Amino acid sequence: MRHFLDIHTTPADELRGIIGAARAMKGARDGQPKAVPDAERPLAGRMVALIFEKPSTRTRISFDVGVRQMGGETMVLSGAEMQLGHGETVADTARVISRYVDLIMIRTFEETTLAEMAEHATVPVINGLTNRSHPCQIMADVMTYEEHRGSIAGSKVVWSGDGNNTCTSWLHAAGRFGFDLTFTGPETLDPDAEAVAFAREAGRRVEIDRNPHRAVAGADCIVTDTWVSMHDPVSARERRHNLLRSYQVDARLMAAAKPGALFMHCLPAHRGEEVTSEVMDGPASVVFDEAENRLHAQKAILRWCLEV
Ligand code: CP
Ligand code: NVA
Protein backbone atom coordinates (compact mmCIF):
# COMPACT_ATOMS: atom_id res chain seq x y z
CA MET A 1 0.00 0.00 0.00
CA ARG A 2 1.23 3.47 -0.86
CA HIS A 3 1.16 5.97 1.99
CA PHE A 4 2.46 9.48 1.37
CA LEU A 5 4.04 10.21 4.73
CA ASP A 6 7.17 12.18 3.91
CA ILE A 7 9.39 13.27 1.05
CA HIS A 8 12.50 11.48 2.34
CA THR A 9 10.60 8.18 2.65
CA THR A 10 9.27 8.35 -0.92
CA PRO A 11 11.67 7.37 -3.74
CA ALA A 12 12.97 10.22 -5.91
CA ASP A 13 11.58 8.79 -9.16
CA GLU A 14 8.11 8.46 -7.61
CA LEU A 15 8.27 12.09 -6.43
CA ARG A 16 9.31 13.19 -9.92
CA GLY A 17 6.41 11.22 -11.38
CA ILE A 18 3.99 12.93 -8.99
CA ILE A 19 5.22 16.40 -10.01
CA GLY A 20 4.94 15.46 -13.69
CA ALA A 21 1.38 14.20 -13.21
CA ALA A 22 0.47 17.35 -11.28
CA ARG A 23 1.71 19.56 -14.10
CA ALA A 24 -0.17 17.52 -16.69
CA MET A 25 -3.42 17.67 -14.73
CA LYS A 26 -3.03 21.40 -14.15
CA GLY A 27 -2.42 21.94 -17.86
CA ALA A 28 -5.42 19.84 -18.83
CA ARG A 29 -7.71 21.99 -16.67
CA ASP A 30 -6.48 25.27 -18.11
CA GLY A 31 -9.30 27.82 -17.91
CA GLN A 32 -11.91 25.34 -16.60
CA PRO A 33 -14.37 26.61 -13.99
CA LYS A 34 -13.29 25.20 -10.65
CA ALA A 35 -16.43 23.17 -10.03
CA VAL A 36 -16.20 21.34 -13.35
CA PRO A 37 -14.84 17.81 -12.88
CA ASP A 38 -11.71 16.71 -14.75
CA ALA A 39 -12.28 14.93 -18.06
CA GLU A 40 -10.90 11.83 -16.38
CA ARG A 41 -12.56 10.94 -13.08
CA PRO A 42 -10.09 8.55 -11.48
CA LEU A 43 -11.59 8.88 -7.99
CA ALA A 44 -15.16 8.08 -9.06
CA GLY A 45 -16.74 5.87 -6.41
CA ARG A 46 -14.02 6.69 -3.85
CA MET A 47 -14.50 8.28 -0.44
CA VAL A 48 -11.70 10.27 1.22
CA ALA A 49 -11.57 11.27 4.91
CA LEU A 50 -9.83 14.57 5.69
CA ILE A 51 -9.00 14.70 9.41
CA PHE A 52 -7.83 17.93 11.03
CA GLU A 53 -6.48 18.16 14.55
CA LYS A 54 -5.18 21.67 13.77
CA PRO A 55 -6.67 24.60 11.82
CA SER A 56 -6.31 24.79 8.04
CA THR A 57 -7.44 26.87 5.08
CA ARG A 58 -5.34 25.68 2.12
CA THR A 59 -4.97 22.00 2.97
CA ARG A 60 -8.61 21.57 3.77
CA ILE A 61 -9.99 23.34 0.72
CA SER A 62 -7.44 22.09 -1.81
CA PHE A 63 -7.86 18.43 -0.82
CA ASP A 64 -11.63 18.75 -0.79
CA VAL A 65 -11.79 20.44 -4.20
CA GLY A 66 -9.14 18.13 -5.64
CA VAL A 67 -10.99 14.95 -4.70
CA ARG A 68 -14.23 16.33 -6.11
CA GLN A 69 -12.60 17.39 -9.38
CA MET A 70 -11.44 13.80 -9.77
CA GLY A 71 -14.95 12.48 -9.20
CA GLY A 72 -14.55 11.34 -5.59
CA GLU A 73 -16.29 12.34 -2.38
CA THR A 74 -14.89 13.70 0.87
CA MET A 75 -15.75 14.03 4.51
CA VAL A 76 -13.94 16.69 6.50
CA LEU A 77 -13.55 15.68 10.13
CA SER A 78 -12.29 17.58 13.14
CA GLY A 79 -10.15 15.44 15.43
CA ALA A 80 -11.66 17.11 18.49
CA GLU A 81 -15.17 16.03 17.47
CA MET A 82 -14.13 12.42 16.87
CA GLN A 83 -13.67 9.82 19.60
CA LEU A 84 -9.98 10.18 18.74
CA GLY A 85 -10.07 13.42 20.71
CA HIS A 86 -11.75 11.62 23.63
CA GLY A 87 -9.54 8.65 24.31
CA GLU A 88 -10.05 6.18 21.44
CA THR A 89 -6.65 5.01 20.27
CA VAL A 90 -5.16 6.06 16.97
CA ALA A 91 -4.78 2.38 16.02
CA ASP A 92 -8.46 1.59 16.60
CA THR A 93 -9.49 4.79 14.83
CA ALA A 94 -7.37 3.81 11.82
CA ARG A 95 -8.89 0.31 11.69
CA VAL A 96 -12.43 1.67 11.92
CA ILE A 97 -12.09 4.47 9.38
CA SER A 98 -10.48 2.08 6.92
CA ARG A 99 -13.77 0.14 6.85
CA TYR A 100 -15.59 3.21 5.53
CA VAL A 101 -13.23 5.19 3.31
CA ASP A 102 -10.64 4.58 0.61
CA LEU A 103 -7.98 7.02 1.84
CA ILE A 104 -7.19 9.03 4.97
CA MET A 105 -5.50 12.45 4.98
CA ILE A 106 -4.58 13.62 8.45
CA ARG A 107 -3.17 16.84 9.89
CA THR A 108 -2.00 16.19 13.40
CA PHE A 109 0.51 17.09 16.11
CA GLU A 110 2.92 14.25 16.83
CA GLU A 111 4.61 12.39 14.03
CA THR A 112 3.92 9.19 16.00
CA THR A 113 0.16 9.71 15.50
CA LEU A 114 0.66 9.77 11.74
CA ALA A 115 2.92 6.71 11.87
CA GLU A 116 0.41 4.80 14.00
CA MET A 117 -2.42 5.75 11.67
CA ALA A 118 -0.43 4.47 8.69
CA GLU A 119 0.58 1.29 10.49
CA HIS A 120 -2.97 0.30 11.37
CA ALA A 121 -4.96 1.70 8.45
CA THR A 122 -5.74 -0.70 5.65
CA VAL A 123 -6.07 2.21 3.19
CA PRO A 124 -3.44 4.79 2.14
CA VAL A 125 -2.63 7.63 4.55
CA ILE A 126 -1.40 11.10 3.54
CA ASN A 127 0.49 13.48 5.85
CA GLY A 128 -1.31 16.84 5.81
CA LEU A 129 1.26 18.33 8.26
CA THR A 130 2.65 17.24 11.60
CA ASN A 131 4.84 19.07 14.10
CA ARG A 132 7.76 17.56 12.20
CA SER A 133 7.02 17.90 8.48
CA HIS A 134 4.76 19.23 5.72
CA PRO A 135 5.46 17.17 2.60
CA CYS A 136 2.38 18.05 0.48
CA GLN A 137 3.35 21.71 0.76
CA ILE A 138 6.86 21.17 -0.48
CA MET A 139 5.70 19.04 -3.42
CA ALA A 140 3.60 22.06 -4.45
CA ASP A 141 6.58 24.34 -3.81
CA VAL A 142 8.97 22.34 -5.98
CA MET A 143 6.33 22.34 -8.72
CA THR A 144 5.96 26.12 -8.35
CA TYR A 145 9.69 26.78 -8.42
CA GLU A 146 10.03 24.73 -11.59
CA GLU A 147 7.11 26.48 -13.32
CA HIS A 148 8.94 29.77 -12.86
CA ARG A 149 12.60 28.84 -13.12
CA GLY A 150 12.94 25.37 -14.65
CA SER A 151 14.58 22.43 -12.90
CA ILE A 152 15.27 23.00 -9.21
CA ALA A 153 18.25 20.61 -9.36
CA GLY A 154 21.51 22.39 -8.58
CA SER A 155 19.86 25.58 -7.34
CA LYS A 156 20.39 27.27 -3.98
CA VAL A 157 17.42 27.72 -1.66
CA VAL A 158 17.77 29.80 1.51
CA TRP A 159 15.48 29.27 4.47
CA SER A 160 15.31 32.31 6.76
CA GLY A 161 13.73 32.06 10.22
CA ASP A 162 12.51 29.16 12.34
CA GLY A 163 13.83 25.70 11.39
CA ASN A 164 10.32 24.24 11.64
CA ASN A 165 8.23 21.46 10.02
CA THR A 166 8.11 23.20 6.63
CA CYS A 167 11.89 23.69 6.73
CA THR A 168 12.32 19.97 7.46
CA SER A 169 10.35 19.04 4.33
CA TRP A 170 12.44 21.51 2.28
CA LEU A 171 15.55 19.68 3.53
CA HIS A 172 14.05 16.33 2.58
CA ALA A 173 13.27 17.78 -0.85
CA ALA A 174 16.86 19.06 -1.19
CA GLY A 175 18.03 15.46 -0.83
CA ARG A 176 15.43 14.03 -3.18
CA PHE A 177 15.35 16.73 -5.89
CA GLY A 178 19.05 17.61 -5.76
CA PHE A 179 19.33 21.24 -4.65
CA ASP A 180 21.35 22.97 -1.94
CA LEU A 181 19.87 24.64 1.12
CA THR A 182 21.27 27.29 3.43
CA PHE A 183 19.55 27.86 6.75
CA THR A 184 19.79 31.26 8.35
CA GLY A 185 18.26 31.75 11.78
CA PRO A 186 19.15 31.67 15.48
CA GLU A 187 20.89 28.61 16.90
CA THR A 188 18.03 27.75 19.23
CA LEU A 189 15.73 27.37 16.21
CA ASP A 190 18.08 25.32 14.05
CA PRO A 191 16.54 22.83 11.61
CA ASP A 192 15.97 19.17 12.40
CA ALA A 193 19.39 17.47 12.61
CA GLU A 194 18.17 14.27 10.93
CA ALA A 195 16.79 16.22 7.99
CA VAL A 196 20.07 18.10 7.62
CA ALA A 197 21.93 14.76 7.71
CA PHE A 198 19.53 13.28 5.15
CA ALA A 199 20.19 16.06 2.62
CA ARG A 200 23.94 15.93 3.23
CA GLU A 201 24.05 12.16 2.85
CA ALA A 202 22.26 12.60 -0.48
CA GLY A 203 25.24 14.72 -1.54
CA ARG A 204 23.68 18.14 -1.11
CA ARG A 205 25.38 21.18 0.38
CA VAL A 206 23.54 22.24 3.54
CA GLU A 207 24.96 25.30 5.26
CA ILE A 208 24.01 27.11 8.42
CA ASP A 209 24.85 30.81 8.51
CA ARG A 210 23.66 33.11 11.29
CA ASN A 211 24.10 36.18 9.08
CA PRO A 212 21.06 36.46 6.78
CA HIS A 213 22.66 38.87 4.31
CA ARG A 214 25.68 36.63 3.85
CA ALA A 215 23.47 33.52 3.67
CA VAL A 216 21.38 34.74 0.75
CA ALA A 217 24.34 35.53 -1.53
CA GLY A 218 23.78 33.57 -4.75
CA ALA A 219 20.33 32.36 -3.66
CA ASP A 220 17.83 31.38 -6.36
CA CYS A 221 15.00 31.41 -3.86
CA ILE A 222 14.37 32.70 -0.33
CA VAL A 223 11.78 30.89 1.77
CA THR A 224 10.33 31.68 5.14
CA ASP A 225 7.37 30.69 7.31
CA THR A 226 5.56 31.89 10.41
CA TRP A 227 7.76 32.50 13.46
CA VAL A 228 5.31 30.65 15.73
CA SER A 229 3.85 27.40 14.41
CA MET A 230 0.53 25.87 15.41
CA HIS A 231 2.22 23.41 17.75
CA ASP A 232 4.36 26.06 19.48
CA PRO A 233 3.16 27.38 22.85
CA VAL A 234 1.63 30.86 22.65
CA SER A 235 4.03 31.84 25.45
CA ALA A 236 6.92 31.40 22.98
CA ARG A 237 5.70 34.32 20.89
CA GLU A 238 7.56 37.26 22.41
CA ARG A 239 10.84 35.40 22.70
CA ARG A 240 10.53 34.14 19.12
CA HIS A 241 9.91 37.62 17.81
CA ASN A 242 13.01 38.96 19.55
CA LEU A 243 15.12 36.06 18.27
CA LEU A 244 13.85 36.23 14.70
CA ARG A 245 13.46 39.95 14.02
CA SER A 246 16.73 40.20 12.08
CA TYR A 247 15.65 37.28 9.85
CA GLN A 248 12.62 39.07 8.41
CA VAL A 249 12.53 38.79 4.62
CA ASP A 250 12.42 42.39 3.40
CA ALA A 251 13.33 44.14 0.15
CA ARG A 252 16.92 44.60 1.34
CA LEU A 253 17.36 40.88 1.95
CA MET A 254 15.79 40.00 -1.41
CA ALA A 255 18.17 42.45 -3.11
CA ALA A 256 21.14 40.58 -1.59
CA ALA A 257 20.08 37.32 -3.33
CA LYS A 258 20.71 36.43 -6.98
CA PRO A 259 18.91 38.81 -9.41
CA GLY A 260 15.55 37.23 -10.23
CA ALA A 261 15.46 35.17 -7.01
CA LEU A 262 11.99 33.97 -6.03
CA PHE A 263 10.28 34.51 -2.69
CA MET A 264 8.26 31.59 -1.29
CA HIS A 265 6.07 31.12 1.77
CA CYS A 266 3.65 28.28 2.45
CA LEU A 267 1.15 30.72 4.04
CA PRO A 268 -0.55 31.80 6.22
CA ALA A 269 1.84 34.75 6.38
CA HIS A 270 2.14 37.27 9.16
CA ARG A 271 2.85 40.41 7.20
CA GLY A 272 5.29 42.70 8.94
CA GLU A 273 6.73 39.78 10.92
CA GLU A 274 8.58 37.09 8.94
CA VAL A 275 8.00 38.97 5.66
CA THR A 276 7.13 42.51 4.64
CA SER A 277 4.09 43.25 2.48
CA GLU A 278 6.48 44.81 -0.03
CA VAL A 279 8.08 41.39 -0.63
CA MET A 280 4.83 39.37 -0.36
CA ASP A 281 3.18 41.56 -3.01
CA GLY A 282 6.34 42.21 -5.02
CA PRO A 283 7.52 40.74 -8.32
CA ALA A 284 9.67 37.99 -6.73
CA SER A 285 6.76 36.52 -4.79
CA VAL A 286 5.09 33.31 -6.02
CA VAL A 287 3.16 32.62 -2.82
CA PHE A 288 -0.27 32.41 -4.43
CA ASP A 289 1.00 30.06 -7.12
CA GLU A 290 2.27 27.85 -4.28
CA ALA A 291 -1.20 27.91 -2.76
CA GLU A 292 -2.84 27.02 -6.09
CA ASN A 293 -0.37 24.24 -6.72
CA ARG A 294 -1.36 22.55 -3.47
CA LEU A 295 -4.49 21.54 -5.39
CA HIS A 296 -2.65 20.10 -8.39
CA ALA A 297 0.18 18.45 -6.45
CA GLN A 298 -2.20 16.79 -4.01
CA LYS A 299 -4.42 15.50 -6.80
CA ALA A 300 -1.33 13.76 -8.16
CA ILE A 301 -0.45 12.46 -4.68
CA LEU A 302 -3.98 11.06 -4.24
CA ARG A 303 -3.76 9.27 -7.60
CA TRP A 304 -0.33 7.92 -6.74
CA CYS A 305 -1.57 6.58 -3.40
CA LEU A 306 -4.61 4.96 -4.93
CA GLU A 307 -2.71 3.83 -8.04
CA VAL A 308 -5.43 5.23 -10.33
N1 CP B 1 0.12 26.08 3.94
C1 CP B 1 -0.86 25.40 4.59
O1 CP B 1 -0.75 24.20 4.85
O2 CP B 1 -1.92 26.16 4.91
P1 CP B 1 -3.17 25.75 5.82
O3 CP B 1 -2.68 25.71 7.24
O4 CP B 1 -4.15 26.86 5.60
O5 CP B 1 -3.69 24.42 5.38
N1 NVA C 1 4.92 25.97 10.28
C1 NVA C 1 3.51 26.25 10.17
C2 NVA C 1 3.00 25.83 8.82
C3 NVA C 1 1.55 26.18 8.60
C4 NVA C 1 1.03 25.70 7.27
C5 NVA C 1 2.76 25.55 11.28
O1 NVA C 1 3.03 24.37 11.53
O2 NVA C 1 1.93 26.19 11.91
Side-chain angles (χ1 to χ4, degrees), residues 27-84:
R29 280 196 69 82
D30 199 24
Q32 282 264 60
K34 295 175 181 73
V36 170
D38 291 342
E40 265 188 285
R41 305 182 77 177
L43 263 63
R46 310 271 184 153
M47 179 61 80
V48 174
L50 306 172
I51 304 174
F52 290 90
E53 295 198 290
K54 288 174 177 169
S56 169
T57 296
R58 280 143 289 268
T59 307
R60 175 182 171 149
I61 300 172
S62 56
F63 264 109
D64 200 344
V65 169
V67 171
R68 292 182 204 212
Q69 286 183 350
M70 294 193 292
E73 296 198 48
T74 60
M75 56 181 69
V76 182
L77 304 158
S78 140
E81 287 165 5
M82 296 169 65
Q83 299 294 8
L84 180 62

Side-chain angles (χ1 to χ4, degrees), residues 45-282:
R46 310 271 184 153
M47 179 61 80
V48 174
L50 306 172
I51 304 174
F52 290 90
E53 295 198 290
K54 288 174 177 169
S56 169
T57 296
R58 280 143 289 268
T59 307
R60 175 182 171 149
I61 300 172
S62 56
F63 264 109
D64 200 344
V65 169
V67 171
R68 292 182 204 212
Q69 286 183 350
M70 294 193 292
E73 296 198 48
T74 60
M75 56 181 69
V76 182
L77 304 158
S78 140
E81 287 165 5
M82 296 169 65
Q83 299 294 8
L84 180 62
H86 301 274
E88 188 165 21
T89 67
V90 177
D92 288 346
T93 304
R95 293 181 185 110
V96 170
I97 303 178
S98 298
R99 301 287 180 107
Y100 305 129
V101 306
D102 300 288
L103 185 143
I104 301 166
M105 190 293 310
I106 180 165
R107 165 169 289 191
T108 187
F109 288 86
E110 301 304 328
E111 201 190 10
T112 48
T113 305
L114 174 77
E116 219 177 316
M117 186 70 81
E119 186 185 340
H120 298 282
T122 53
V123 297
V125 173
I126 295 177
N127 175 0
L129 178 147
T130 67
N131 296 359
R132 173 131 196 266
S133 64
H134 196 3
C136 291
Q137 178 69 51
I138 281 41
M139 291 298 281
D141 292 352
V142 169
M143 177 181 173
T144 305
Y145 181 96
E146 296 195 333
E147 280 178 345
H148 286 273
R149 292 287 179 270
S151 173
I152 198 167
S155 63
K156 172 178 171 177
V157 172
V158 174
W159 178 278
S160 184
D162 176 22
N164 63 17
N165 44 5
T166 309
C167 180
T168 294
S169 287
W170 268 105
L171 282 161
H172 292 157
R176 282 292 191 241
F177 290 96
F179 59 87
D180 298 332
L181 192 144
T182 297
F183 170 86
T184 185
E187 195 174 347
T188 47
L189 299 174
D190 265 351
D192 181 275
E194 280 177 32
V196 170
F198 171 79
R200 285 185 177 149
E201 278 158 24
R204 304 322 308 174
R205 181 192 290 267
V206 178
E207 289 182 346
I208 294 185
D209 191 333
R210 307 287 167 214
N211 179 326
H213 285 268
R214 194 172 53 209
V216 300
D220 296 287
C221 176
I222 300 180
V223 195
T224 190
D225 187 9
T226 179
W227 286 343
V228 185
S229 284
M230 291 181 275
H231 60 272
D232 290 322
V234 182
S235 57
R237 192 180 151 83
E238 196 183 328
R239 201 178 130 264
R240 286 289 180 96
H241 279 236
N242 291 333
L243 277 171
L244 288 161
R245 193 160 293 130
S246 56
Y247 297 96
Q248 181 189 66
V249 182
D250 59 11
R252 223 178 109 237
L253 192 66
M254 287 305 301
K258 203 186 259 185
L262 297 176
F263 170 71
M264 300 184 89
H265 189 313
C266 65
L267 307 180
H270 301 78
R271 289 168 179 257
E273 295 181 9
E274 72 272 10
V275 60
T276 61
S277 276
E278 189 183 3
V279 170
M280 271 279 286
D281 300 328

